[in-house]
Amino acid sequence: MRVRVELHPALKQWIEERFARYPSERSLVVPALLEAQKYYSYVSPEVEIGLAELLGMPPQEVHSVASFYSMLHQHPVGRHIIQVCHNVSCYLRGAEDVIAHLEEVLGIKVGETTEDGRFTLVTVECLAACGQAPVMMVDEKLVEQVTPERAEAALAEFD
Amino acid sequence: MLQETKVVTELAGTEGLRRLEVYEAHGGYGALRKALTGMKPQEVIDEVKRSGLRGKGGAGFPAGLKWSFVPRDHPGPKYLAANADEGEPGTFKDRWIIEENPHLLIEGSIIASYAAGIDHAYVYTRGEFFTARRVLLGAIKEAYARGYLGENILGSGYALEMTVHSGAGSYECGEETALLTSLEGGRGHPKLKPPFPATHGAWGRPTVINNVETLATVPSIINRGADWYRSFGTEKSPGVKMVSISGHVEKPGNYEIPLGTPVRMILDDLGGGVWKGRELKAFAPGGSSTPLLLPGNLDTPYDYESIAEAGSMLGSGGIIVFDETTDMVRVAEILTRFYAWESCGKCTPCREGTRWMLQIYERILNGGGRMEDLDLLLDICEGIDSKSFCPFGDAALGIVRSTIQHFRAEYENYIRKHKVYKRKFMPVRHH
Amino acid sequence: MVEVPQKLVKITLDGRELSVPEGIYLLEAARLAGIEIPALCNHAWLQPLGACRMCLVRIEGVDKLQTACSTQVRDGMVVITESDEIKRAREQMLEFHLLNHPLECPVCDKGGECLLQDLTERHGLFTSRYVEEKLAGEDSLLNPFLRISYKRCIMCQRCVRYCEEISGDHLAVVRDRGAWSEITASRSFSEVPSRFSGNLIELCPVGAITSIPFRFHGRAWELTKTRTVCNQCAVGCNVELHTRLGKLMRIVPASEPGVDAQLDNGHLCDRGRFAYGWVQSSERLHRPLIKRDGEFAPATWDEAEKLVAEKLTRAIDEYGGDAVAVLAGNSLTNEEYMALRIIAHRHVGTTNFFLGEDLFDISRYPLLLLHSLFFDSASLAETMNGDLIVLVGCDILEEAPVLGLRLEEAVRKGTTLVSFASYATESERRASVRARYPAGRFVDAVEELIVDVASPSNDGKYAALARSLLAADRVSLIYGQELLWHPRASEHVLALMKLKYAVKSKREAEGKPMSHFALNPIFRGANSIGAVVFNHLELLTGRSEEIRDKVRASMKSILQKAAEGKVKVLYLVGINPLMTFPDRKLVQDAVAGADFVVAQDHFLHETSREADVVLPTAPWPFKGGTFLNFEWRLQKLNPVDLVDDTPTELELWNRLLIAMRRGSHSTEPRSVFDEIARVTPPLSHLTYDSIPPHGSVLDFTLPPEGLADIGERVAGLRLEAGRCEPREEYPFVLLPKTYLFRNSPRLRCTSWMEPVKPPSWVQMHPADSKRLNLEEEQPVRVESPHGSIDLELRLSKDITPGSVLVNNYSPEQPVNRLLGVDDDIFAVRVVPR
């Protein structure tokens, strides 16, 4: 049974504008998947099929590529992703306390999403900001030199 | 008191440096002009070769030599990939360069591309670098408008396209050939060599891959000459290096030093010394993949040869400092988890070995360690050593071996006492 | 692709100096020297990966161990493959491989044929140091035939690479990362059943991918293995039948990949591999059935033979031999065809006899047509070594799948592939030129192509195709079912001959005579070529007046006679014309018009159901004999060492002859073959026992008076294209499509083939559906002047506007209801239901 997926027009346009910059349309799959998460929140089968059709790849190939990269979510996530670095330089400067505090304040464990769907909390590897450790990202925003309190405060602007 | 030698970081702090007119006002794109209108591509290669500039991403391969491997008469497009997939824990200089002085990277990339005969340059940024991409895109747009990119640059007849590309969260994509696989639209698996990227890279075409800092150094070499660059550093490690200092220091941050500077000076004078008045326990000289060095190594000159002689590697230049209170077993566990979760999975020893080591660490930290686990860990390291498909496998061994070698007592403490590390959170793989 | 003599280089391997072909990999070089370096992820079909790290060797001057599978030999290389260091490395790699691998050999089907078992035994350690928790996962299905066990997977990625590099169906992909990587099929995305998934079973070096039909049916070492030839299509892949406890348990390839590369190179298609369940199915007939009062009742062989003999004798005595008509299917052996021919001519005395189901009417230009069929074809080797392969009206991946794979292999090595078809198919995926002819108007299109061949620079419609043809020195043109399963099949073949000679003469005129231009038809049957031979044996004995002047029966003429009541006994052997003949009504009338119908077959299918007597014979695994495949390769079948309770054809016919008191005939394939060899010059050097595995490609030279002027004769042909315009009331050209998994009785009676049954759709281009206000998935009726069928509409841009595509073998909605054997074109209309 043929499934035809129409991607969000802005996403489609974003992708098509960039075709000319690569010798192969398939090259856009990773940036497109990352961009797609702005419109779809996670990489659903629908997204995979839609991109497959647009880029001329088999959908299972899109799935294979998408599932390789840790920023691409294979399951629904909250409206905002909190990514706290748990690697060595941030650990050395108190990342654990930050993470523990966020778990407490949000009422969830690492890997989970708040019940109201507002935040998903994950830990990530080095974000290349070790000079300002501990660091975290909320969606696209980097928050540096976080303490438990500062981390909590940084969440306020995200609905 | 050691002062920074500001080459790449020269214009740091200049107001509005992201804007092309500010960059130009401070001499920016002068090197580009000199190279494109006053030098032939081969002359650029020769100058950079003479300068001894070595790749600053970790491998330390001579940049000019790499460019010379690209077959000049090859029909069809040739590519440059600027490696901005900075993921080595403890390293944060490349992001800094892009966000602070994007035009420096652009200028250096254009000169490098001109030298090697490149038609299209891609800046492969890791997925997390949203701000860096935004900044870079703005600067590239300005460069196109000014005619530094596109057709007939500065009337030289040379044309170059530049595209910003994004990853989506994979440390392995910082490896040259894995970066290319990702750029082509695939999983970040490394490729067989030979053939080498210089002749057979992205989409099967000649490709040069250079680190951001390497490219950012090129303009000053062109401006001031190879001899000037060689006036810093040592015979075999000429020039300067940005170091990213992190961990238990007073002043973590990016600093630029001549290669060969004693480590002690870097840590004390620039990094402010170990924080909180504590003692140094150990440090990783070049990122998490480099074996640890001890206080006894503080007088080692910070250059490729001396650090290698001391038993480690200069790597990416990320110096991670551990004070006396550091739980080295926990540190090893954190990094082993990093390698296990970031392993691309292509080859068996790395894929299976890193996960095995992680499981052993988790068991040790959970009070279930056995004395034979230490030899087992070393044995697993030996099983991976030099036998994995790409350098990732070897990178995972540094922390395990050096912590067991230098801090065995801490391991034994955990094992004998069935000590349990009190986790403040449970790490979970998110996929 | 031209064969170039290989340059040799000198390497030192474990102290021995060797000369090996330049550029090969060390792993292969070692094998040539008799050294077996262990490897898991390497495979003859695939590009090297270097992932398992089992094949690490020491190369002098290189600091790290290198993988032999991915290192090419260079002159002067010094290599060590055995040392303490390497031994230790192998142990370590195996330890890593076994880390997550469950110790379930006792319950794993792969046991006994498992590469990991073999390597561990040879190179590994026998204790495990792993005390942690293994990554577990539930088994899953890759597709209806394959089970995947994640626990057992060692991530050699052979399956992923096969599905990417060879079958191209991307059935298996990797998901996730690192040690958490899994092979997955993403089934939810799959629309088209995979044609080659079964090859993953042998490909998988462990028991991660296993056969569902075979699951738990036996241990490798308990199976009796019989080498024979598949009988499901024109390729004739070499297979092994594995039996145990009196049953056929599975079918596997007999050829070793990379080693026996002559024909299938170790591949099987999923139809050939899995469609065997019917042999044991309860629906297979074991006893004769006699119809009494409209109902079938089981009978003894005695009863049935007596009845049939009686009917035959009476028909012959009262009405003459021609009152008996014999129609045989396309998958019988040469010996059976020869026997039928002899029996028909000598014992029964009928000229109403036709073998095979193809090329229904060669009454015009029989010499030319037969000439092409006999002498124009190329062997697979010649095709793969040629410059150009032209696929015409042939969805090769559906019609002869393994041949399609081998052609793509040739393309990867440098041969050009072009396609000339009326609609897009997957078989064109490696074609550098895809030319379209309007459906139903092939002959016209070829005439236009011939014009473009004459003046290629005049940017005509088929200029690109013409230029490809003219640029090649060695061409293989392969044509298929769209042209052959058609009343105007003869015209199509003649048109291709015209094209061939036009290209050849153009090249000659330019001083560049071609080495060869072959025409290979892909018929539907395993032995359609054999059927052609035995219908027209006289061509090979060189008496062309006999050929020219002979009054020939065709399947059409026989059916027409039967419909007119002129056939007293209609004898059908292994054929289901109610489903497979492009005129259902004619067959119905024929079966009804014949006084007595005997059907010899394994099942009660559409046609045999209408018979008066059904005589079951032994399925092909129980038979010996020979086949001729598409490249005229003579291959021998070997029967399994089991006894079935049904007779072979030869046995049955002998018994009937005896019952009729009309002599007897040999029941041994061996002696029939010897008789064939005696009268057929190209076979005269062979005996039945001397036929080697993979058989022998027959080399025909032209018969003594062979048409030297054939080029001119063909060039001067005026082909009747017929009325090729669809009529106004029936505006669509109907394309009946031959699918690989068409639901023939054998597949219907093999339970696990059910999921891959082609759907009952009619496919149309979106522009046409828009015009007609029809929607995707809408129930529609497809009507022709002959009848109608009800299907679901599907839209596809692959179909050319003005035509519609329908499965040509759907028991529920048989397309031949819409067809007439005198039609020039299959024209239909599509209306909402």
Side-chain angles (χ1 to χ4, degrees):
Chain A
M1 199 187 53
R2 269 259 167 77
V3 186
R4 295 235 160 269
V5 172
E6 274 301 316
L7 290 173
H8 195 291
L11 174 63
K12 199 159 176 257
Q13 192 190 348
W14 187 94
I15 296 170
E16 284 169 344
E17 276 170 2
R18 284 158 176 75
F19 277 155
R21 307 210 65 88
Y22 296 87
S24 146
E25 278 150 12
R26 184 183 166 135
S27 301
L28 276 164
V29 68
V30 173
L33 281 162
L34 194 62
E35 184 73 13
Q37 288 189 149
K38 291 187 187 155
Y39 303 91
Y40 292 94
S41 134
Y42 82 108
V43 179
S44 59
E46 187 197 15
V47 171
E48 289 171 351
I49 294 171
L51 282 177
E53 288 173 354
L54 195 57
L55 301 176
M57 288 167 70
Q60 51 276 46
E61 280 291 314
V62 177
H63 181 69
S64 172
V65 173
S67 61
F68 180 85
Y69 295 92
S70 31
M71 290 180 76
L72 302 176
H73 314 297
Q74 300 291 296
H75 304 285
V77 291
R79 292 192 294 283
H80 307 287
I81 313 263
I82 308 166
Q83 302 169 86
V84 190
C85 172
H86 70 183
N87 208 307
V88 63
S89 296
C90 289
Y91 158 75
L92 290 175
R93 294 184 80 101
E96 288 184 304
D97 291 324
V98 173
I99 298 166
H101 185 73
L102 285 174
E103 279 189 328
E104 202 192 333
V105 140
L106 294 170
I108 53 174
K109 295 282 170 220
V110 167
E112 294 176 352
T113 304
T114 55
E115 238 180 86
D116 60 3
R118 189 174 165 213
F119 290 114
T120 298
L121 175 67
V122 299
T123 56
V124 295
E125 306 302 339
C126 182
L127 292 168
C130 327
Q132 308 297 313
V135 302
M136 73 183 207
M137 288 181 76
V138 186
D139 295 342
E140 298 186 4
K141 181 176 176 179
L142 181 70
V143 188
E144 297 172 293
Q145 290 187 318
V146 285
T147 59
E149 296 73 35
R150 237 185 267 157
E152 185 183 343
L155 301 181
E157 67 176 272
F158 295 95
D159 288 314
Chain B
M1 180 74 169
L2 175 68
Q3 300 289 317
E4 282 192 80
T5 305
K6 290 179 181 287
V7 172
V8 169
T9 58
E10 186 180 5
L11 296 174
T14 307
E15 169 105 26
L17 185 58
R18 288 175 180 176
R19 295 203 316 273
L20 187 141
E21 71 259 24
V22 175
Y23 181 69
E24 271 184 332
H26 286 82
Y29 289 107
L32 178 64
R33 195 172 295 278
K34 183 176 179 188
L36 259 61
T37 61
M39 296 169 80
K40 293 206 193 59
Q42 187 57 46
E43 289 173 320
V44 177
I45 291 183
D46 291 337
E47 188 70 7
V48 171
K49 260 184 167 166
R50 249 179 11 95
S51 75
L53 175 65
R54 294 170 68 159
K56 306 210 183 278
F61 193 88
L65 186 61
K66 194 186 261 192
W67 300 347
S68 74
F69 291 150
V70 177
R72 201 165 282 286
D73 295 321
H74 192 278
K78 303 195 263 299
Y79 303 109
L80 174 83
N83 189 343
D85 190 69
E86 184 171 53
E88 179 76 10
T91 319
F92 45 99
K93 59 190 175 65
D94 296 332
R95 185 175 65 83
W96 182 90
I97 291 172
I98 300 175
E99 292 183 10
E100 273 292 310
N101 195 352
H103 284 285
L104 181 61
L105 171 63
I106 295 171
E107 186 182 7
S109 302
I110 304 173
I111 297 171
S113 300
Y114 172 70
I118 304 294
D119 305 280
H120 199 133
Y122 294 91
V123 184
Y124 184 103
T125 61
R126 53 182 289 191
E128 297 86 342
F129 282 4
F130 294 102
T131 304
R133 264 197 297 285
R134 190 174 40 78
V135 169
L136 190 56
L137 282 167
I140 289 175
K141 196 167 170 198
E142 289 184 309
Y144 267 104
R146 192 75 173 78
Y148 292 139
L149 285 169
E151 296 295 318
N152 197 16
I153 300 171
L154 295 173
S156 66
Y158 176 64
L160 181 69
E161 297 291 327
M162 188 175 283
T163 299
V164 176
H165 187 89
S166 155
S170 163
Y171 166 72
E172 171 67 9
C173 288
E175 196 278 334
E176 270 195 359
T177 59
L179 187 153
L180 295 180
T181 311
S182 181
L183 178 64
E184 292 164 342
R187 298 162 60 85
H189 283 203
K191 297 178 192 291
L192 281 170
K193 292 190 286 202
F196 292 88
T199 53
H200 201 96
W203 305 287
R205 301 186 179 131
T207 309
V208 170
I209 303 112
N210 279 136
N211 173 261
V212 164
E213 187 193 346
T214 312
L215 293 166
T217 312
V218 170
S220 26
I221 293 176
I222 298 301
N223 270 328
R224 296 187 244 192
D227 293 324
W228 164 83
Y229 193 71
R230 290 199 80 93
S231 71
F232 310 105
T234 71
E235 176 64 39
K236 290 198 181 138
S237 300
V240 295
K241 180 82 183 72
M242 281 185 72
V243 294
S244 305
I245 310 180
S246 69
H248 292 158
V249 288
E250 284 294 333
K251 298 192 287 172
N254 286 314
Y255 304 97
E256 200 167 14
I257 47 101
L259 285 162
T261 307
V263 176
R264 185 191 300 280
M265 287 179 82
I266 300 172
L267 288 185
D268 287 344
D269 296 349
L270 298 176
V274 180
W275 71 345
K276 303 184 179 176
R278 294 197 188 141
E279 293 297 315
L280 175 72
K281 188 181 215 177
F283 64 99
S288 65
S289 306
T290 57
L292 300 178
L293 295 177
L294 302 173
N297 299 115
L298 278 172
D299 292 312
T300 312
Y302 196 76
D303 62 69
Y304 293 96
E305 290 67 37
S306 307
I307 297 286
E309 216 182 290
S312 187
M313 284 155 359
L314 192 135
S316 62
I319 305 179
I320 310 173
V321 177
F322 304 99
D323 76 22
E324 64 201 84
T325 68
T326 312
D327 181 341
M328 297 313 289
V329 182
R330 170 74 173 128
V331 165
E333 191 233 10
I334 287 175
L335 288 174
T336 303
R337 175 172 295 107
F338 168 66
Y339 292 110
W341 286 7
E342 291 294 326
S343 168
C344 77
K346 176 172 185 165
C347 80
T348 304
C350 168
R351 181 185 72 240
E352 303 295 337
T354 55
R355 186 179 151 259
W356 192 2
M357 293 197 292
L358 173 60
Q359 286 186 298
I360 295 172
Y361 273 106
E362 286 176 338
R363 184 163 47 77
I364 292 174
L365 288 185
N366 211 28
R370 314 162 302 174
M371 285 309 286
E372 60 257 44
D373 285 333
L374 299 183
D375 282 337
L376 180 57
L377 282 168
L378 290 177
D379 228 28
I380 297 170
C381 287
E382 219 253 298
I384 298 173
D385 194 341
S386 306
K387 290 187 272 292
S388 56
F389 189 98
C390 84
F392 187 110
D394 288 344
L397 311 181
I399 193 67
V400 177
R401 279 176 164 160
S402 57
T403 50
I404 292 178
Q405 180 185 3
H406 300 300
F407 304 105
R408 184 173 264 259
E410 292 191 40
Y411 283 92
E412 293 186 353
N413 193 34
Y414 264 103
I415 293 171
R416 289 219 173 87
K417 299 206 179 124
H418 303 289
K419 175 173 161 197
V420 175
Y421 178 80
K422 277 214 200 62
R423 289 193 191 276
K424 300 183 184 171
F425 72 96
M426 278 309 292
V428 171
R429 267 189 93 241
H430 173 73
H431 252 258
Chain C
M1 189 194 76
V2 188
E3 289 267 40
V4 189
Q6 288 194 293
K7 182 172 164 217
L8 296 176
V9 295
K10 274 209 177 59
I11 64 169
T12 309
L13 204 55
D14 291 340
R16 284 163 53 195
E17 238 193 49
L18 299 163
S19 276
V20 292
E22 185 181 40
I24 64 168
Y25 295 107
L26 267 176
L27 192 63
E28 180 61 28
R31 205 170 279 142
L32 290 173
I35 300 171
E36 200 62 48
I37 298 175
L40 279 165
C41 67
N42 182 259
H43 194 275
W45 289 332
L46 306 168
Q47 293 297 303
L49 188 66
C52 71
R53 315 308 284 175
M54 283 303 297
C55 66
L56 289 169
V57 294
R58 170 60 67 189
I59 300 175
E60 206 178 81
V62 183
D63 61 343
K64 291 190 187 176
L65 295 174
Q66 299 295 311
T67 44
C69 66
S70 65
T71 307
Q72 287 175 299
V73 297
R74 264 194 323 276
D75 204 43
M77 218 179 221
V78 178
V79 185
I80 306 284
T81 72
E82 294 289 339
S83 68
D84 285 339
E85 171 191 41
I86 290 173
K87 179 170 186 293
R88 183 77 190 110
R90 289 173 183 169
E91 288 171 355
Q92 288 164 330
M93 294 308 121
L94 275 169
E95 182 173 36
F96 287 134
H97 277 104
L98 291 165
L99 213 66
N100 234 343
H101 198 81
L103 194 62
E104 46 183 46
C105 298
V107 296
C108 174
D109 275 344
K110 197 79 174 178
E113 34 185 33
C114 172
L115 189 50
L116 187 61
Q117 268 184 342
D118 295 342
L119 291 183
T120 305
E121 206 181 348
R122 249 183 278 156
H123 303 282
L125 306 162
F126 293 101
T127 52
S128 174
R129 300 186 290 178
Y130 188 70
V131 299
E132 326 298 335
E133 209 177 288
K134 299 199 182 202
L135 272 178
E138 290 297 305
D139 285 6
S140 178
L141 300 186
L142 214 53
N143 74 356
F145 307 125
L146 303 179
R147 189 185 178 96
I148 177 143
S149 164
Y150 302 111
K151 294 182 297 200
R152 299 177 186 168
C153 175
I154 55 164
M155 287 302 295
C156 68
Q157 294 155 80
R158 279 183 178 183
C159 56
V160 179
R161 289 142 69 205
Y162 183 84
C163 293
E164 193 181 311
E165 294 171 32
I166 313 242
S167 69
D169 56 18
H170 299 272
L171 175 65
V173 296
V174 192
R175 84 163 150 228
D176 210 322
R177 183 169 83 192
W180 292 266
S181 300
E182 281 180 345
I183 304 295
T184 181
S186 292
R187 262 178 303 136
S188 55
F189 299 130
S190 162
E191 287 185 321
V192 176
S194 164
R195 303 176 185 101
F196 303 106
S197 67
N199 294 311
L200 300 182
I201 299 169
E202 276 92 38
L203 198 60
C204 181
V206 298
I209 296 183
T210 52
S211 160
I212 292 173
F214 177 68
R215 186 170 165 77
F216 295 155
H217 273 58
R219 288 316 223 159
W221 60 88
E222 296 176 321
L223 303 166
T224 307
K225 304 177 181 181
T226 307
R227 188 203 176 106
T228 186
V229 178
C230 176
N231 85 331
Q232 305 246 28
C233 85
V235 176
C237 298
N238 281 220
V239 297
E240 265 181 22
L241 303 177
H242 289 180
T243 52
R244 179 175 169 258
L245 301 177
K247 290 206 201 142
L248 177 59
M249 292 302 187
R250 66 176 178 182
I251 299 179
V252 303
S255 316
E256 196 186 320
V259 173
D260 307 315
Q262 299 174 51
L263 182 58
D264 48 80
N265 197 18
H267 299 275
L268 289 183
C269 77
D270 284 353
R271 183 192 173 97
R273 179 189 290 268
F274 291 120
Y276 62 84
W278 59 271
V279 175
Q280 268 97 236
S281 154
S282 56
E283 292 181 67
R284 174 161 82 87
L285 302 172
H286 293 262
R287 291 177 60 187
L289 298 171
I290 299 180
K291 202 175 253 172
R292 298 194 171 104
D293 300 321
E295 294 284 317
F296 275 118
T300 64
W301 281 102
D302 233 19
E303 280 181 86
E305 284 163 26
K306 241 176 113 183
L307 176 61
V308 173
E310 220 181 272
K311 293 287 182 181
L312 281 169
T313 308
R314 192 172 318 153
I316 298 169
D317 289 343
E318 287 179 24
Y319 299 96
D322 276 347
V324 176
V326 181
L327 289 175
N330 54 24
S331 301
L332 299 178
T333 63
N334 292 319
E335 292 72 18
E336 285 157 2
Y337 287 142
M338 180 67 163
L340 265 183
R341 184 187 163 92
I342 292 173
I343 293 171
H345 285 168
R346 276 193 235 151
H347 299 262
V348 173
T350 177
T351 58
N352 282 327
F353 124 105
F354 190 79
L355 304 172
E357 303 165 51
D358 301 288
L359 220 58
F360 321 102
D361 182 358
I362 62 160
S363 50
R364 298 193 323 122
Y365 309 113
L367 257 180
L368 288 179
L369 281 170
L370 291 176
H371 183 278
S372 181
L373 290 179
F374 275 71
F375 302 114
D376 268 346
S377 62
S379 69
L380 179 61
E382 286 171 336
T383 301
M384 288 180 73
N385 285 331
D387 309 310
L388 181 68
I389 298 168
V390 191
L391 282 177
V392 183
C394 182
D395 189 357
I396 191 90
L397 290 172
E398 291 286 326
E399 297 170 30
V402 172
L403 174 57
L405 284 191
R406 305 273 5 244
L407 296 182
E408 292 187 339
E409 196 185 312
V411 172
R412 284 196 292 276
K413 293 194 177 134
T415 306
T416 306
L417 177 75
V418 297
S419 160
F420 194 31
S422 68
Y423 64 101
T425 65
E426 226 186 312
S427 296
E428 292 183 325
R429 60 194 184 186
R430 303 241 194 265
S432 50
V433 174
R434 295 168 198 182
R436 292 274 169 267
Y437 59 83
R441 294 179 46 207
F442 179 71
V443 171
D444 288 345
V446 173
E447 298 284 8
E448 285 180 61
L449 174 56
I450 289 173
V451 168
D452 286 343
V453 163
S455 333
S457 47
N458 276 2
D459 262 335
K461 186 172 174 199
Y462 298 118
L465 181 58
R467 282 196 285 268
S468 304
L469 289 165
L470 290 167
D473 178 54
R474 294 173 303 171
V475 179
S476 277
L477 190 148
I478 297 174
Y479 59 103
Q481 288 301 300
E482 190 182 322
L483 301 182
L484 290 170
W485 199 74
H486 198 281
R488 307 196 68 72
S490 314
E491 254 74 29
H492 296 156
V493 180
L494 291 167
L496 286 172
M497 292 175 73
K498 268 189 96 166
L499 174 65
K500 164 180 171 165
Y501 286 103
V503 175
K504 282 189 84 165
S505 34
K506 175 80 175 169
R507 289 259 315 196
E508 253 165 55
E510 291 175 349
K512 300 183 289 176
M514 297 180 83
S515 297
H516 74 250
F517 190 128
L519 299 173
N520 279 62
I522 303 298
F523 292 113
R524 248 208 261 186
N527 201 17
S528 295
I529 299 284
V532 171
V533 170
F534 289 98
N535 273 333
H536 312 292
L537 202 51
E538 61 274 11
L539 187 68
L540 289 177
T541 56
R543 296 199 288 278
S544 60
E545 337 77 69
E546 209 187 283
I547 301 158
R548 204 174 13 235
D549 302 333
K550 182 170 164 168
V551 173
R552 251 160 242 291
S554 66
M555 192 152 163
K556 172 180 159 187
S557 69
I558 292 174
L559 289 171
Q560 278 171 338
K561 284 212 176 96
E564 291 162 16
K566 297 193 185 133
V567 170
K568 299 303 163 192
V569 179
L570 179 61
Y571 199 101
L572 305 169
V573 185
I575 191 171
N576 187 5
L578 254 175
M579 282 306 302
T580 61
F581 189 74
D583 188 331
R584 195 178 177 88
K585 180 151 192 310
L586 178 58
V587 179
Q588 279 166 336
D589 291 344
V591 166
D595 277 13
F596 192 77
V597 180
V598 182
Q600 229 185 271
D601 219 310
H602 311 299
F603 310 97
L604 268 183
H605 52 54
E606 286 77 8
T607 309
S608 60
R609 216 177 280 279
E610 306 301 320
D612 295 299
V613 181
V614 180
L615 301 173
T617 50
W620 67 273
F622 296 92
K623 298 200 296 197
T626 59
F627 282 159
L628 282 166
N629 80 348
F630 73 97
E631 46 166 353
W632 290 84
R633 180 184 297 264
L634 181 78
Q635 300 194 97
K636 184 168 68 181
L637 287 84
N638 297 307
V640 293
D641 193 16
L642 297 172
V643 175
D644 195 61
D645 50 6
T646 55
T648 64
E649 266 82 353
L650 295 177
E651 286 167 353
L652 176 59
W653 295 334
N654 184 46
R655 295 197 322 227
L656 283 174
L657 281 178
I658 292 173
M660 288 162 68
R661 284 186 242 277
R662 283 184 170 256
S664 67
H665 189 278
S666 170
T667 59
E668 280 298 310
R670 180 178 280 103
S671 16
V672 184
F673 181 83
D674 290 341
E675 173 68 18
I676 297 171
R678 204 178 54 78
V679 302
T680 319
L683 289 170
S684 56
H685 64 290
L686 288 171
T687 64
Y688 190 74
D689 291 320
S690 73
I691 299 170
H694 295 108
S696 178
V697 179
L698 300 184
D699 190 20
F700 292 103
T701 48
L702 286 179
E705 336 159 16
L707 308 160
D709 58 341
I710 190 166
E712 281 169 38
R713 294 190 53 183
V714 166
L717 279 178
R718 265 201 60 239
L719 298 173
E720 287 172 24
R723 276 190 339 258
C724 286
E725 292 306 319
R727 292 177 256 175
E728 208 183 286
E729 321 98 270
Y730 298 101
F732 284 103
V733 176
L734 174 70
L735 292 170
K737 186 172 177 71
T738 303
Y739 282 103
L740 175 65
F741 294 116
R742 57 192 174 277
N743 207 23
S744 65
R746 274 184 283 201
L747 268 70
R748 268 180 264 169
C749 299
T750 300
S751 57
W752 51 80
M753 301 303 287
E754 167 69 24
V756 297
K757 197 170 76 169
S760 290
W761 294 345
V762 50
Q763 294 187 60
M764 182 189 284
H765 191 276
D768 284 332
S769 71
K770 205 164 175 194
R771 239 185 340 103
L772 297 173
N773 267 321
L774 295 171
E775 279 171 13
E776 172 102 349
E777 294 187 37
Q778 183 169 347
V780 293
R781 177 157 297 163
V782 182
E783 294 178 340
S784 83
H786 305 287
S788 72
I789 52 177
D790 292 337
L791 300 166
E792 223 176 75
L793 182 67
R794 282 289 187 282
L795 306 182
S796 167
K797 293 214 180 95
D798 290 343
I799 313 298
T800 318
S803 59
V804 290
L805 191 81
V806 179
N807 174 10
N808 79 352
Y809 200 123
S810 168
E812 299 87 23
Q813 302 294 334
V815 77
N816 61 356
R817 226 186 258 164
L818 305 171
L819 309 177
V821 74
D822 289 319
D823 290 349
D824 294 316
I825 191 169
F826 297 144
V828 295
R829 63 171 168 240
V830 180
V831 296
R833 238 193 300 152

